[in-house]
Amino acid sequence: MKLQINSEKRGESHLGGVHPSLLREEAKAHADSVFIGEVERRFERVLKDFEAGRLQPFYGDHEWGDLKEMPLPRRELLGKRYSPIFKAIETTRGCPNRCDFCSVPTINGRHYRIRPLGEVDQELSCIIKKKGEYLSLPMTMLWPGKTMP
């Protein structure tokens, strides 16, 4: 994910996601700041640092909290032209396994965390609105605690 906050004013760029979290120094060569791991609990600090002109080179968080009261994605900001057939929703994070090919335990922790059902239901009611729309669920939700072959 590449985030540009008020980039016309300051010309700064910020990277986050799986690749920047795993290869932070490489990502830093292409951005002013790099978000490592999960961003929800520290994004307010990032914005305050940005507004004060004191952005840190790295923002990291490897203390994985529960998923209660996660902010809902602002899908309406994507515009009318963005309308994927498969809608994605995040219901869990983390995995206790260490499958060779998977970044989930490194990025989201080895503890399996589940969002409260009421919050998942609230988000579902916001995104599945028309016939012919489908929901995409990540593999870690379907096989918690099982190592993939």
Side-chain angles (χ1 to χ4, degrees):
M1 168 180 79
K2 185 170 185 174
L3 174 67
Q4 292 186 328
I5 308 170
N6 202 4
S7 61
E8 293 173 12
K9 182 178 177 185
R10 295 200 185 152
E12 296 172 343
S13 64
H14 315 278
L15 295 174
V18 175
H19 188 113
S21 292
L22 294 175
L23 299 168
R24 56 193 73 171
E25 293 298 330
E26 178 184 277
K28 182 63 178 91
H30 304 281
D32 296 289
S33 286
V34 177
F35 303 145
I36 301 164
E38 298 178 358
V39 71
E40 290 92 356
R41 292 181 293 138
R42 65 184 184 277
F43 197 66
E44 189 173 329
R45 177 177 168 221
V46 172
L47 290 176
K48 286 180 183 177
D49 288 354
F50 176 81
E51 289 171 350
R54 297 185 321 247
L55 271 175
Q56 304 299 308
F58 298 99
Y59 288 91
D61 188 2
H62 284 291
E63 291 184 23
W64 295 281
D66 66 32
L67 303 182
K68 186 177 181 183
E69 298 178 356
M70 281 179 45
L72 293 177
R74 298 278 314 274
R75 290 178 177 91
E76 74 276 6
L77 297 176
L78 296 172
K80 294 178 182 178
R81 293 182 64 189
Y82 180 81
S83 183
I85 293 173
F86 288 95
K87 309 289 179 150
I89 183 170
E90 190 169 35
T91 59
T92 64
R93 284 188 184 165
C95 182
N97 300 307
R98 290 276 186 199
C99 301
D100 292 340
F101 60 87
C102 188
S103 65
V104 170
T106 303
I107 299 300
N108 297 116
R110 292 194 70 193
H111 179 72
Y112 194 70
R113 298 169 291 144
I114 302 170
R115 279 180 70 194
L117 185 58
E119 293 178 24
V120 171
D121 184 52
Q122 178 186 5
E123 187 172 352
L124 277 172
S125 66
C126 293
I127 65 171
I128 302 296
K129 297 180 180 180
K130 298 182 286 188
K131 184 177 180 180
E133 291 184 320
Y134 302 95
L135 184 64
S136 172
L137 298 172
M139 294 279 287
T140 54
M141 180 185 173
L142 302 176
W143 289 282
K146 304 285 185 195
T147 303
M148 296 298 294

